Amino acid sequence: MTTTADLETLLAAHENDAFAPDALAALDHREEFPAGAVHLLDDAGLPAHYVLPTDGDLGETVALLRTVARRDLTVAIAHGKTFLGAAPVWVAGTRDQAARLAARVRAGEPVCWGLTERHHGADLLAGEFAAAADTDTGADGDGAGWRLTGEKWLINNATRSTLACVLARTDAAGGARGFSLFLVDKSRLPEGAWRNLPKVRTHGIRGADISGFVLDGAPVPADALIGQEGDGIPVVLKTLQLTRVTCAALSLGAADHALRLARDFVIGRELYGRRLADVPHVRRILGRAAAAALTAEAVSVLSARSVHTLPGELSAVSAITKAYVPTLTQETLGTLGELLGVRGFLTSPPGGGFAKLERDHRICAIFDGSTAVNRAALLNQMPRLARQLSRRRTDGEGLRAAADLTAPLPPFAPDRLTLLSVTGCSAVQALPDLAARLRRQGPPEAGPLLDLLLAELARLEEESADFVPVAGGLPSTAFRLAEAYERAYASASCLLLWLENPHLRAGGLGGNALWLRACLTVLLGVDDSKVLDTLAEAVLRTPAPEFTLLGGAA
């Protein structure tokens, strides 16, 4: 197993070969797969962290993928896709299926997830890729096997993968129980049963293997079925609760990279005899970007740990995380791009890394459900979330375990995943108690921010109380309600990490509650130039390559 420190050291040692920025940029220009970097990660043991049962730690997986993403998003997306492809087996596979797949993933075999189709996109219920029962493919008394036929398209690692987890129609009538999931092993298919489709040229992540495949009566054994026949859509929805949280690692890494480029630029650039880093407006921009990055980090950390401690709430938490973190990060990249000016558009040094980074990150908001899809998923649960918010009930034990970074995590429990959260979202529901704790503990400077936060929560509670999802679509105004709920979760994440972790209340960032006040300032839209200027100074003084909440800056 690999630690983030070990991985960072390894990547730094290969800045002149596999992870050389110029080399990765050249591969991107030629639209070539970054095979050298991917193989280095395989040899480092990163695939072992894509295995969730029985002792996996999703928070650690997110941290490791973030470490790769801050170097190059294409590499992180190409390598991390194996977790997405394998996750349905962690959610619904048998113990034997999980054990067999775990061994192959640890050995570095890539796995892709075949969900989308050329003519149906994200409309999974319209999928035509089909599986038919076939007694000729049964083996050893395991029952009938299956024949798979159809096309999957715009699939990451479709051509390079050894294994593919595919969603197939098993009932001609379709519907919520008309689809099933299968783990297909290319090496066990007869010649001609599998055909790879050409790589698709993309705006970002140009070197990634975004392609597809066609199966023509491909025979698979009975034990290729994941879960029960007809379980495909529910298993996909539960799996997305894991993958949406994991995708936040890509955005966190992108924010790390962008903040470093901006910091180096303003330190080294002079304007009219004055260092750019000393210009007040520039410092506000840098401070606000840093606060946004720390807020996204707090959301991601709490959500990833909640996979283990609050699995029953993941249908809400994962949708919040996937909508909020990539959107906030893309906005931050836009702001920092304006700060870099023309250098942000260059494709060669200085500043060339930012142009690639910005276009590569755009896909992160689309992976595993777009921002609109995730906000719609949250709004469909809003009546239940609103009721639980008014009751103020929380899973206090699960919430504390998620927030306390020193607390041991329980094993991932797939049987506790639900399609809808019965208990709502404990973090948001705990906000009044969290604010009261912070008032008692101090610092007093946080008091006015807490007043604003509770006023925002009261408005959220009032507006959500009468909200009813509309059949056939949601009005655009409804999405503002989802955004408000996301901000409430982000605020709760910051308060929880502050209250439950003494080490985050120490050092330069913790002193006088700097990082907490800066995050709340941005979340609440407060114009506090002093706190943002102070945070910018902390960014400029940080000796570590990256400025983060959990390491390198405190």
Side-chain angles (χ1 to χ4, degrees):
M1 303 290 271
T2 305
T3 68
T4 52
D6 290 339
L7 184 59
E8 183 61 47
T9 299
L10 176 70
L11 300 186
H14 286 272
E15 287 182 341
N16 294 320
D17 44 69
F19 274 87
D22 289 347
L24 291 170
L27 288 172
D28 179 78
H29 180 72
R30 298 194 301 268
E31 302 185 19
E32 292 182 15
F33 189 82
V38 167
H39 291 153
L40 182 67
L41 297 177
D42 287 342
D43 292 342
L46 184 56
H49 294 272
Y50 301 152
V51 177
L52 201 48
T54 55
D55 58 351
D57 177 347
L58 194 69
E60 190 172 59
T61 302
V62 168
L64 289 163
L65 268 178
R66 175 187 187 176
T67 301
V68 179
R70 69 168 60 121
R71 300 278 178 166
D72 189 83
L73 272 172
T74 300
V75 176
I77 290 168
H79 199 273
K81 185 63 181 181
T82 287
F83 175 80
L84 278 64
V89 178
W90 313 149
V91 168
T94 65
R95 183 176 298 178
D96 286 346
Q97 285 175 321
R100 290 198 301 270
L101 180 59
R104 298 183 69 170
V105 168
R106 289 189 178 101
E109 290 193 51
V111 187
C112 72
W113 198 7
L115 291 183
T116 56
E117 299 179 19
R118 190 184 302 267
H119 301 296
H120 305 297
D123 186 2
L124 300 183
L125 291 177
E128 299 177 62
F129 188 100
D134 182 7
T135 56
D136 292 339
T137 56
D140 301 324
D142 290 336
W146 301 83
R147 294 270 179 179
L148 273 56
T149 301
E151 178 189 271
K152 291 293 182 180
W153 188 67
L154 284 186
I155 308 301
N156 188 3
N157 278 348
T159 298
R160 300 181 66 87
S161 63
T162 307
L163 300 155
C165 182
V166 298
L167 180 69
R169 182 184 289 259
T170 45
D171 184 334
R177 306 298 301 185
F179 293 81
S180 305
L181 279 166
F182 297 87
L183 185 63
V184 181
D185 184 350
K186 290 183 184 180
S187 66
R188 297 178 65 180
L189 296 179
E191 186 176 353
W194 178 296
R195 176 167 55 88
N196 291 322
L197 297 175
K199 171 182 165 61
V200 179
R201 300 186 68 184
T202 53
H203 175 66
I205 57 169
R206 294 174 178 172
D209 170 21
I210 308 296
S211 54
F213 53 80
V214 176
L215 271 66
D216 185 8
V220 298
D223 65 358
L225 179 67
I226 302 169
Q228 300 298 313
E229 182 180 347
D231 282 352
I233 297 298
V235 172
V236 166
L237 293 176
K238 290 179 179 179
T239 302
L240 286 171
Q241 295 175 23
L242 305 181
T243 61
R244 285 170 173 167
V245 170
T246 307
C247 281
L250 306 173
S251 294
L252 297 184
D256 291 341
H257 191 176
L259 201 58
R260 174 168 52 81
L261 290 173
R263 180 188 64 187
D264 293 348
F265 172 70
V266 301
I267 289 175
R269 177 74 167 168
E270 288 192 1
L271 186 64
Y272 306 120
R274 187 181 188 186
R275 195 177 68 149
L276 200 58
D278 297 326
V279 176
H281 179 65
V282 169
R283 294 172 74 90
R284 299 302 108 74
I285 293 173
L286 191 63
R288 187 171 296 276
L294 295 179
T295 303
E297 181 176 12
V299 169
S300 178
V301 167
L302 188 71
S303 300
R305 290 180 62 88
S306 294
V307 167
H308 297 269
T309 68
L310 295 166
E313 298 186 2
L314 278 184
S315 60
V317 168
S318 62
I320 292 168
T321 304
K322 184 58 178 61
Y324 184 76
V325 173
T327 301
L328 179 63
T329 300
Q330 194 64 43
E331 292 171 355
T332 303
L333 295 183
T335 300
L336 292 177
E338 292 178 7
L339 180 62
L340 288 167
V342 68
R343 295 186 182 223
F345 293 91
L346 299 179
T347 57
S348 58
F354 186 86
K356 177 181 183 303
L357 163 66
E358 195 275 339
R359 61 176 164 78
D360 283 352
H361 182 264
R362 289 182 178 274
I363 191 64
C364 295
I366 300 172
F367 279 145
D368 292 30
S370 67
T371 299
V373 166
N374 280 284
R375 285 180 174 157
L378 184 66
L379 288 169
N380 285 330
Q381 293 196 64
M382 193 57 69
R384 186 189 301 268
L385 295 172
R387 286 195 300 272
Q388 294 298 335
L389 177 57
S390 67
R391 294 167 183 167
R392 300 287 192 265
R393 295 174 182 170
T394 66
D395 182 343
E397 182 179 348
L399 200 55
R400 281 190 297 274
D404 180 357
L405 303 181
T406 65
L409 290 174
F412 168 61
D415 57 313
R416 292 180 60 195
L417 294 175
T418 58
L419 295 179
L420 298 172
S421 175
V422 175
T423 56
C425 180
S426 289
V428 174
Q429 290 147 210
L431 263 175
D433 289 341
L434 298 174
R437 286 178 60 191
L438 187 59
R439 283 190 196 279
R440 292 193 299 269
Q441 178 178 302
E445 292 87 350
L449 292 169
L450 294 178
D451 292 339
L452 290 173
L453 176 59
L454 292 176
E456 288 279 324
L457 185 66
R459 279 192 290 272
L460 172 62
E461 190 170 355
E462 181 182 357
E463 293 174 5
S464 63
D466 299 324
F467 177 79
V468 178
V470 180
L474 293 162
S476 59
T477 54
F479 286 85
R480 290 199 293 269
L481 182 59
E483 292 175 41
Y485 201 94
E486 292 164 21
R487 289 194 299 272
Y489 182 84
S491 300
S493 299
C494 293
L495 265 63
L496 279 161
L497 291 180
W498 171 266
L499 290 167
E500 300 296 339
N501 298 279
H503 68 282
L504 295 182
R505 302 195 293 269
L509 279 183
N512 205 25
L514 174 59
W515 74 262
L516 176 63
R517 290 165 53 220
C519 290
L520 292 178
T521 292
V522 170
L523 279 164
L524 296 167
V526 176
D527 184 13
D528 188 339
S529 58
K530 183 177 180 180
V531 74
L532 294 180
D533 186 83
T534 305
L535 187 64
E537 183 60 32
V539 174
L540 296 170
R541 290 199 321 265
T542 299
E546 271 68 43
F547 180 85
T548 71
L549 184 61
L550 302 188

